[in-house]
Amino acid sequence: MNKRDAYFRQHGGQLLLDMMKLENQVSFKLYDREEIELATNNFRESAILGQGGQGTVYKGFDLDPENNPVAIKRCKGIDANRRMEFGQELLILSRVRHEYIVKLLGCCLQFEVPVLVYEFVPNKTLHYLIHGQSDASTRTLDIRLEIAAQSAEALAYLHSLDHPIFHGDVKSANILIGDKFTAKVSDFGCSIFRAAADENINVVKGTIGYLDPEYLMTFQLTDKSDVYSFGILLLELLTRRKPLSNEVSLASLFQDAMKKGNIDHHIDKEILHEDNMELLHEFACLASQCLVMDSENRPAMSHVADILRQLADTASQQHTGTLQGIRSLRLLGNSSGSILEPCYSPVETMEYDSRKTSMGIEFAR
């Protein structure tokens, strides 16, 4: 048996192939090693789109029938104890079809590590939109709310599946921006891809600054873990600050400001206008609910999505210059008062240092 066949079997390729034969309609492809090498020019450095804790993403060509580019992710590895589950989990991920989720097109299991092929999303990430580029007209309040609503709808969909998928690494860098500022959630289900070196139970997955404190204590990833991380993302959109600054968490600063009633001092000045205040306070209230320490008291992602859709639609209806720059928004016809239930009482959030929590838990790189 040559190496490529050995890798294929090692990664559960035969089981995946057998399961695919039982499916009536499978829009998922097993690519040959040569196709991937040709598409990435042998994983040339110039083709790299980005690198993260789960692997490296390359821009590839010649895999799509219409010659559209694709995103090819070379994973760091998978947990040796879960190889038999890997094929089944890939099939589950391949069935995910949502307009705000990056589509998994196929995989190649003939390398030392799995290689996944995704649809290519043309623009950069939400992280870049918030923190990187300088054009304020591309991050008006209605754009921010629409991206937040679409992202929440995607996560709520993942949570609602027969086999629920918990994202596990919700952050602005994992929200890609497509045409017309459409959000595309990426790296969903990334918790199934684990390096063999990460088998220590005291290793948690995710990104420092976004991690649910309850997950840090229990090592149990849940739908409410995603809700907490999404709350941090909402704070980024609201304040245009990063989750950690000088080892102080944005969540801690925000909840303290909510408690003191001076949240306006932390809202991004680009969107801090008198006509926006009711929308901004609703937005802040929702973020605060997502960040409650006790996960049982956090809203479900479906509820978060519903509220954000109402806020986004309100902003869009009153913003006559959508996508044309910053203009005033006005709330009209909201005679019933706040569309949100009262905020949960803000509670203190856990502080993070750059590498460990106060409990000494190590973070996986």
Side-chain angles (χ1 to χ4, degrees):
M1 183 184 297
N2 60 32
K3 274 191 173 182
R4 58 189 291 168
D5 291 336
Y7 291 143
F8 184 79
R9 291 187 176 277
Q10 179 180 313
H11 299 320
Q14 187 57 53
L15 181 60
L16 175 59
L17 198 58
D18 293 342
M19 287 190 295
M20 288 175 64
K21 290 177 181 177
L22 297 175
E23 296 269 338
N24 292 326
Q25 294 179 332
V26 181
S27 56
F28 185 74
K29 182 176 178 181
L30 289 177
Y31 294 94
D32 288 329
R33 180 177 180 132
E34 289 80 8
E35 292 180 281
I36 300 297
E37 289 173 337
L38 180 64
T40 61
N41 203 352
N42 289 313
F43 298 103
R44 182 164 291 185
E45 190 172 338
S46 60
I48 292 177
L49 291 172
Q51 295 175 291
Q54 304 299 327
T56 303
V57 181
Y58 298 81
K59 188 174 184 178
F61 296 90
D62 299 324
L63 291 182
D64 183 276
E66 300 176 4
N67 202 29
N68 293 318
V70 294
I72 299 175
K73 182 172 184 177
R74 191 174 190 175
C75 299
K76 283 194 171 180
I78 57 175
D79 186 338
N81 295 325
R82 302 186 67 188
R83 283 180 180 142
M84 294 305 292
E85 304 171 27
F86 184 71
Q88 182 177 2
E89 289 174 320
L90 273 183
L91 268 188
I92 290 171
L93 295 184
S94 73
R95 296 191 194 107
V96 171
R97 290 290 182 269
H98 193 279
E99 60 182 321
Y100 304 136
I101 294 177
V102 176
K103 186 184 300 181
L104 178 62
L105 303 175
C107 70
C108 178
L109 304 178
Q110 297 173 348
F111 291 92
E112 185 177 357
V113 295
V115 173
L116 307 180
V117 180
Y118 293 92
E119 71 168 308
F120 178 76
V121 180
N123 298 316
K124 295 187 178 180
T125 65
L126 179 58
H127 185 274
Y128 178 78
L129 183 71
I130 300 170
H131 305 294
Q133 59 87 37
S134 58
D135 184 3
S137 70
T138 63
R139 51 172 178 256
T140 58
L141 179 57
D142 54 330
I143 291 175
R144 298 186 201 200
L145 284 169
E146 183 62 35
I147 290 173
Q150 292 175 0
S151 302
E153 288 164 15
L155 292 170
Y157 165 80
L158 292 175
H159 292 177
S160 72
L161 295 173
D162 291 339
H163 299 281
I165 295 174
F166 306 144
H167 190 291
D169 197 16
V170 175
K171 58 182 178 181
S172 57
N174 279 339
I175 308 296
L176 306 183
I177 306 298
D179 294 330
K180 299 179 181 179
F181 294 93
T182 300
K184 290 278 190 176
V185 174
S186 66
D187 271 1
F188 59 93
C190 67
S191 60
I192 72 171
F193 307 117
R194 299 180 177 179
D198 289 346
E199 292 174 8
N200 188 330
I201 193 171
N202 286 338
V203 174
V204 297
K205 310 297 288 189
T207 302
I208 304 169
Y210 293 89
L211 287 165
D212 171 17
E214 195 167 281
Y215 168 49
L216 292 174
M217 292 184 284
T218 65
F219 304 103
Q220 295 296 314
L221 188 69
T222 69
D223 58 336
K224 297 300 182 69
S225 303
D226 283 350
V227 171
Y228 182 92
S229 300
F230 190 76
I232 301 294
L233 186 148
L234 293 182
L235 293 191
E236 285 186 88
L237 287 167
L238 189 66
T239 68
R240 207 151 64 86
R241 298 181 185 180
K242 295 181 179 179
L244 281 177
S245 179
N246 297 322
E247 298 187 0
V248 177
S249 73
L250 177 59
S252 179
L253 291 174
F254 172 80
Q255 293 288 54
D256 186 57
M258 288 289 287
K259 191 185 303 181
K260 294 177 180 177
N262 62 355
I263 189 63
D264 293 358
H265 297 303
H266 298 272
I267 295 174
D268 180 16
K269 289 181 173 56
E270 288 182 358
I271 56 175
L272 187 63
H273 301 296
E274 187 175 320
D275 293 335
N276 293 352
M277 296 315 298
E278 189 170 353
L279 268 179
L280 290 171
H281 289 164
E282 300 278 19
F283 195 8
C285 184
L286 179 61
S288 181
Q289 292 181 17
C290 293
L291 296 173
V292 170
M293 286 284 282
D294 184 352
S295 64
E296 290 187 3
N297 288 329
R298 296 172 200 157
M301 188 57 72
S302 57
H303 179 71
V304 174
D306 288 343
I307 298 301
L308 284 170
R309 175 48 57 203
Q310 293 180 60
L311 294 177
D313 288 349
T314 299
S316 178
Q317 289 165 11
Q318 305 310 321
H319 189 181
T320 58
T322 301
L323 308 188
Q324 300 301 316
I326 299 177
R327 306 211 180 149
S328 294
L329 303 178
R330 291 181 297 120
L331 276 174
L332 297 177
N334 192 14
S335 57
S336 61
S338 171
I339 60 175
L340 284 179
E341 297 174 3
C343 286
Y344 295 114
S345 299
V347 291
E348 293 184 9
T349 55
M350 185 176 294
E351 297 283 351
Y352 301 96
D353 68 18
S354 61
R355 184 71 185 137
K356 294 183 180 181
T357 69
S358 60
M359 294 177 288
I361 300 170
E362 293 285 340
F363 293 93
R365 291 189 185 276

